Amino acid sequence: MLDKDRIIRLKAVLARTGLSRSTLYRKIGDGTFPRQIPISIHGAGWHESAVDRWIADPVGYREETSQA
């Protein structure tokens, strides 16, 4: 099995997407890029599979909202 649920850090996300840091965080705020997940007190990362979904369809990506 490929390890697609590994956590990748900011530098890897920026390199893979070609986005700038400010654009990435703006897209997160707009809900058009996956949110980061906390991995420590001062660290966060992204699920690689979520970033891959965005790369596959950057224009059509919308963050899934949970309806509780």
Side-chain angles (χ1 to χ4, degrees), residues 16-45:
R16 292 193 58 195
T17 62
L19 298 173
S20 70
R21 182 182 179 120
S22 59
T23 299
L24 176 77
Y25 285 113
R26 180 177 45 80
K27 287 183 164 295
I28 290 170
D30 293 345
T32 59
F33 195 85
R35 290 195 176 279
Q36 63 271 49
I37 56 169
I39 56 177
S40 69
I41 293 173
H42 298 290

Side-chain angles (χ1 to χ4, degrees), residues 31 33-35 53 61-67:
F33 195 85
R35 290 195 176 279
R53 282 194 306 274
Y61 181 89
R62 291 287 178 241
E63 188 171 53
E64 298 168 2
T65 58
S66 58
Q67 303 277 327

